[in-house]
Amino acid sequence: MLKLYSPIALGAIHLSHRVVQAPLTRLRSEQPGDIPGDLMATHYGQRASEGGLQIAEATTVSIVGRGYLGAPGIYSDAQVVGWRKVTDAVHAKGGRIFLQLWHVGRQSHIDMTGGAAPVAPSAVPFEQVVFTANGWVPVSPARALETDEIPGIVEEFRQGAVRAKAAGFDGVEIHGANGYLIDQFIQDGTNKRTDQYGGPIENRARLLMEVVEAVSSVWGADRVGVRLGPSGSWASMHDSDPAATFGYIANALNRYGLAYLHIIEPRVVGGEVPDESKAPVAAAQLRKIFRGPIIAAGGFNRSDAQEIVERGDADLVAFGRFFSSNPDLPDRLRRDLPLTPYDRSTFWGGDGHGYTDFLPWRDVADAAA
């Protein structure tokens, strides 16, 4: 048996295979309130598999952390009730599901933050759009967080972890990639601070480490994952020495005993089509440093997913686009069955079309017959 389809333990979680549903922003929560509803529960339940892991989409920990209308939250009791529908649907099929905790930082607009200016490590202007009730609009100018405000951000992540436990999740993932708040602190292209959260990498990584400690106090570190994008340039992100920056972080994370490190490969920029000609290298580089399980993500197909796990550069592979259109993806990959093409036009927002209307292979085969 190929390792991709073999059992593995991620901290306290035991899985029967290594095909992971990646966290995908689909903007289908119920409004107002950013509340997961029946549609989202159906979507996740369809993609659950016995002993498989799903990482629920990026979920905001506060009002100021919002940036995209339709993205779910985990900052209210109503959202906890809504997420319970999702976790119940996944657990009914024997699956496991983590919630990705998210703060967008400077990638926001005052229409999404209750009128407050978006926050960031530093007020570095950039060009980006976010999704509001008025469609895709340019971001609002962000302000730099005061030093004494940062413990409040950490507490928002901790409270999100508390609510995720109440909602029935099996663990949580901290979103430290894609140019959002934690990533903005990590990379020196966006962090120009001169206090204890800026300057050398041990300071720029401080917010992430404080969030890891706060969230682990709720869950235990063996039910906490971290997502990083060492080569990410989307949202005008850059760092003067990414190898040193992310190498330091991977090593610093070793002391916690995390469930996993989730690494985005440099083959996808924003929502663009993966460039499969680019070899996955980020996981291989950090594998030399990080001692726990590694999930690799970023435009994988069946063959290169199998290869990266067989080589040992990653222990699991997260799929996004193909999971959107193949609810039974782990079984299709294992049996080498044809994959249903995904529909990019339905990725961000809408109803069940392109979200809950894709069929498992047995139904596709029956319809063809």
Side-chain angles (χ1 to χ4, degrees), residues 14-18 49-53 93-96:
H14 294 270
L15 305 176
S16 60
H17 62 80
R18 306 177 186 215
S49 61
E50 181 70 35
L53 175 64
K93 293 179 67 174
R96 301 289 180 263

Side-chain angles (χ1 to χ4, degrees), residues 103-107 118-124 142-154 156-157 174-211 228 235-240 245-246 248-249:
H103 192 303
V104 304
R106 69 178 187 167
Q107 289 193 49
V119 296
S122 307
V124 177
R143 68 171 181 85
L145 283 161
E146 299 292 337
T147 304
D148 61 6
E149 293 180 291
I150 294 176
I153 298 290
V154 176
E156 289 172 351
F157 276 92
I174 298 165
H175 198 343
N178 297 117
Y180 297 116
L181 184 64
I182 291 175
D183 199 18
Q184 292 160 28
F185 270 85
I186 290 171
Q187 301 204 48
D188 60 18
T190 45
N191 187 339
K192 307 299 183 183
R193 302 178 72 91
T194 57
D195 63 0
Q196 63 264 43
Y197 292 92
I201 178 52
E202 56 266 30
N203 285 355
R204 288 181 278 123
R206 191 182 305 277
L207 175 62
L208 171 59
M209 301 307 161
E210 291 179 349
V211 170
L228 299 175
S236 303
M237 296 300 297
H238 59 92
D239 188 83
S240 61
T245 293
F246 288 95
Y248 172 89
I249 290 173

Side-chain angles (χ1 to χ4, degrees), residues 301-337:
N301 57 35
R302 180 178 187 269
S303 62
D304 58 14
Q306 292 175 163
E307 289 170 6
I308 195 172
V309 172
E310 292 295 330
R311 284 198 309 270
D313 291 342
D315 301 286
L316 308 92
V317 176
F319 291 83
R321 292 161 179 79
F322 283 119
F323 241 122
S324 74
S325 54
N326 297 272
D328 55 342
L329 183 64
D331 186 54
R332 291 204 201 192
L333 294 177
R334 181 179 59 82
R335 297 168 61 194
D336 198 15
L337 297 172

Side-chain angles (χ1 to χ4, degrees), residues 9 98 105 137 148 179 208 213 217 225 233 243 257 269 273 278 302 309 338:
F98 276 40
V137 300
D148 61 6
L208 171 59
E213 291 169 5
S217 73
S233 59
V269 179
V273 176
K278 293 183 178 180
R302 180 178 187 269
V309 172

Side-chain angles (χ1 to χ4, degrees), residues 46-47 325-328 332 340 356-365 367:
Q46 289 173 337
R47 284 152 184 79
S325 54
N326 297 272
D328 55 342
R332 291 204 201 192
T340 302
T356 57
D357 57 356
F358 286 105
L359 301 175
W361 173 253
R362 65 178 182 274
D363 294 337
V364 172

Side-chain angles (χ1 to χ4, degrees), residues 47-114:
R47 284 152 184 79
S49 61
E50 181 70 35
L53 175 64
Q54 296 167 279
I55 305 173
E57 62 209 86
T59 300
T60 52
V61 296
S62 68
I63 295 291
V64 177
R66 301 170 75 224
Y68 299 85
L69 185 67
I74 191 66
Y75 52 84
S76 76
D77 292 343
Q79 293 160 353
V80 171
V81 174
W83 276 120
R84 174 63 76 168
K85 297 179 181 179
V86 173
T87 60
D88 284 350
V90 170
H91 292 152
K93 293 179 67 174
R96 301 289 180 263
I97 184 166
F98 276 40
L99 182 66
Q100 189 184 70
L101 302 175
W102 185 39
H103 192 303
V104 304
R106 69 178 187 167
Q107 289 193 49
S108 192
H109 188 277
I110 58 173
D111 287 351
M112 295 299 298
T113 61

